[in-house]
Amino acid sequence: MSKIRMNTEFRNKILNRYVESAENENTQEREGFNQAREKVNELYPQAFRLAQEVVGQAYPSDDVATCKSLKAKYGQPLDVVAKDKCFYFSYAKDELNEDEDESDRNISEHFDFGLFGECDTSDSYNNESGKKFAYAYKREELKEKDCNPDIFAQQNGKDDNPHKTKHIEANDKALGYSNYSRYNSDNDNTIGIAKEFDSQFFLDIIGTSHCRSRTIACNKEQFLFFKIWKQAKANVITCHQKWIDSIEKQKQAMKTGLKAYRYLSEGVELMKELDINIDEAELVRCNSTGLTIYNPTNLASMIKGMKNTTMTREQKIAIRKEYEAQNKMN
C-alpha cells in the first residue's frame, strides 16, 4: 500500500490534537496559573471584608439609612445614596522625603472589585489589564462558550488586528461585559457572568459623583493589603501569559516539523513519540474538525443539521459537543 502524503488538512488535524493535549497536560506553567487563580480566590473575600470596614467608616450605615428615608419622603432631589464596587482608597504618609512637599503626603489608588477591574495602577475602565484578568480567570467558562480566552496572551506584543478584535468582542459578549456607561457602576450594562460576579461586591456610598471625587481614607496597613490583592490579580495575568507562551512555542515547533514532513506516517510517529495516541486511519476518516463523519450516526446527525438551520448559537454548540462525545466513543 502506498504511503499517504501529508497535506494542510492533516497537518492541522495533528496540530489541533497536540494543542488540546498540551492544554490539558499538568505542567509547571499550568500549575502556576492555577495556583495564581486560587490565591485570588483566597484574597478576594478578605479584601472585600476590609473594604466593607473602610467604606463603612466613611459612610456609616445609620447615615445611609437616614439618606434613604429622606429620599423616600422627599423624592429624587435627595437621591444621594448609590452602590458601587470601585473605590479610591488613600492613606497619609507619616514622613515626607526631602524632595517632597505636602501635596505628596497622601497616597491614593483606585481599587475595582469587578470582574473587569484594572490590575495595575491605572484607573481607566478601558485598561486592557481588566480584560486580561477576566478572560484568564474565567477561562473554562469562555472555552465552554466556544470562545478564545487566550487571545491577549497569544497576541502579546502584536498590534491590534481584526483577528484579535473578533475574539475580544466574542469574549466580552460571552461574559456579558459592557463598558461602564454611568458614574456609579451599579448602573452599568453588564449581564450574565460579569453581572453575577460583580453583584457580590457592591457597597453603599453617599454621593453620586464619580469615585475619583470621593477618596476614602484608610490606614497604611489596609492600603497595602488592597495592593497585595490587586497584585494577586495581576499575577494571574502573568502566569497565564507564561503558560500560553509555552504552548505557543510548542505549536510553532510542531508547525515547523509538520511542514517538513512529506508523509502522514511521519506525523503519526511524531505524535506517538510525544505520547499522544493517534493513527492514520483516524486522521483519514475524520474531517477537518476532527469528527468521524463516515460513522453512520455522526453522518446522519450532520445531514439533519443541514436542515432547519435557524438555531441559536447555544444549540449549535450543544450539537457540536454531542458530535465530539460520539467521536470519543467510537
Side-chain angles (χ1 to χ4, degrees):
M1 180 181 297
S2 61
K3 289 186 176 181
I4 301 174
R5 285 191 171 274
M6 182 70 83
N7 59 32
T8 300
E9 184 174 4
F10 289 146
R11 290 186 180 98
N12 287 338
K13 291 177 184 178
I14 293 172
L15 182 62
N16 290 339
R17 177 66 69 83
Y18 179 77
V19 171
E20 179 184 0
S21 175
E23 289 185 356
N24 289 298
E25 186 178 1
N26 188 24
T27 62
Q28 292 178 352
E29 294 82 6
R30 182 171 182 257
E31 182 62 22
F33 169 56
N34 287 333
Q35 288 179 0
R37 287 196 296 185
E38 290 172 3
K39 187 64 176 179
V40 165
N41 289 337
E42 175 188 332
L43 291 178
Y44 235 106
Q46 296 179 40
F48 185 63
R49 284 194 295 270
L50 187 59
Q52 288 176 306
E53 177 184 335
V54 174
V55 173
Q57 291 172 349
Y59 305 107
S61 57
D62 288 346
D63 291 352
V64 170
T66 298
C67 290
K68 288 182 177 179
S69 66
L70 290 173
K71 179 195 173 183
K73 183 176 181 179
Y74 295 105
Q76 190 66 29
L78 289 174
D79 185 12
V80 295
V81 175
K83 290 185 178 295
D84 216 335
K85 58 174 180 53
C86 60
F87 315 94
Y88 268 90
F89 292 130
S90 174
Y91 79 95
K93 293 192 293 185
D94 294 328
E95 297 181 359
L96 297 174
N97 296 326
E98 292 183 359
D99 58 344
E100 294 179 322
D101 56 32
E102 282 301 318
S103 65
D104 300 309
R105 185 174 295 279
N106 290 326
I107 305 297
S108 64
E109 191 169 325
H110 186 251
F111 297 94
D112 189 339
F113 284 86
L115 179 60
F116 284 83
E118 79 280 355
C119 303
D120 56 19
T121 57
S122 168
D123 61 359
S124 171
Y125 288 121
N126 295 319
N127 189 319
E128 285 189 343
S129 71
K131 290 192 175 186
K132 289 178 179 179
F133 171 78
Y135 297 174
Y137 187 72
K138 293 293 184 180
R139 188 175 188 274
E140 288 75 18
E141 288 90 333
L142 286 170
K143 281 282 190 179
E144 289 176 359
K145 292 178 178 291
D146 203 26
C147 294
N148 180 7
D150 306 323
I151 186 64
F152 276 118
Q154 292 169 348
Q155 294 280 313
N156 187 37
K158 298 180 181 178
D159 294 333
D160 289 343
N161 55 75
H163 172 74
K164 179 180 178 181
T165 300
K166 178 185 72 173
H167 287 292
I168 289 174
E169 290 176 350
N171 288 339
D172 288 351
K173 183 178 180 181
L175 291 176
Y177 172 78
S178 176
N179 288 327
Y180 297 120
S181 61
R182 290 182 170 86
Y183 286 132
N184 296 305
S185 57
D186 60 334
N187 292 324
D188 65 31
N189 298 317
T190 56
I191 59 174
I193 293 173
K195 189 176 186 68
E196 181 181 0
F197 182 91
D198 292 359
S199 66
Q200 307 170 80
F201 304 112
F202 285 108
L203 295 174
D204 286 319
I205 54 94
I206 298 175
T208 56
S209 58
H210 195 275
C211 58
R212 183 190 293 273
S213 66
R214 45 178 167 79
T215 301
I216 302 173
C218 63
N219 61 45
K220 183 177 180 180
E221 289 72 24
Q222 292 168 330
F223 187 89
L224 292 179
F225 190 85
F226 290 131
K227 293 278 289 184
I228 290 171
W229 159 69
K230 186 190 274 192
Q231 182 56 48
K233 291 179 64 179
N235 194 44
V236 169
I237 300 173
T238 301
C239 291
H240 179 245
Q241 182 70 60
K242 184 176 181 181
W243 178 40
I244 299 305
D245 280 346
S246 173
I247 293 176
E248 289 296 303
K249 289 178 182 178
Q250 296 170 58
K251 281 173 62 177
Q252 190 56 50
M254 287 288 293
K255 286 181 180 179
T256 301
L258 291 170
K259 189 175 181 179
Y261 292 160
R262 296 179 60 189
Y263 299 105
L264 181 58
S265 59
E266 294 175 288
V268 171
E269 181 181 354
L270 171 63
M271 293 290 274
K272 288 181 178 178
E273 289 293 326
L274 292 168
D275 298 320
I276 302 173
N277 293 323
I278 195 170
D279 58 47
E280 287 190 27
E282 177 186 352
L283 291 167
V284 170
R285 70 173 181 264
C286 292
N287 70 357
S288 59
T289 65
L291 302 179
T292 311
I293 62 173
Y294 297 116
N295 174 282
T297 301
N298 286 332
L299 182 55
S301 296
M302 185 173 292
I303 292 173
K304 290 177 182 178
M306 296 175 181
K307 299 177 287 185
N308 304 316
T309 56
T310 56
M311 294 184 295
T312 65
R313 185 169 182 273
E314 289 72 20
Q315 289 174 319
K316 292 177 181 179
I317 293 173
I319 291 173
R320 170 65 183 275
K321 289 181 178 179
E322 182 180 350
Y323 288 155
E324 293 175 346
Q326 291 172 350
N327 185 47
K328 289 179 181 179
M329 294 174 62
N330 294 316

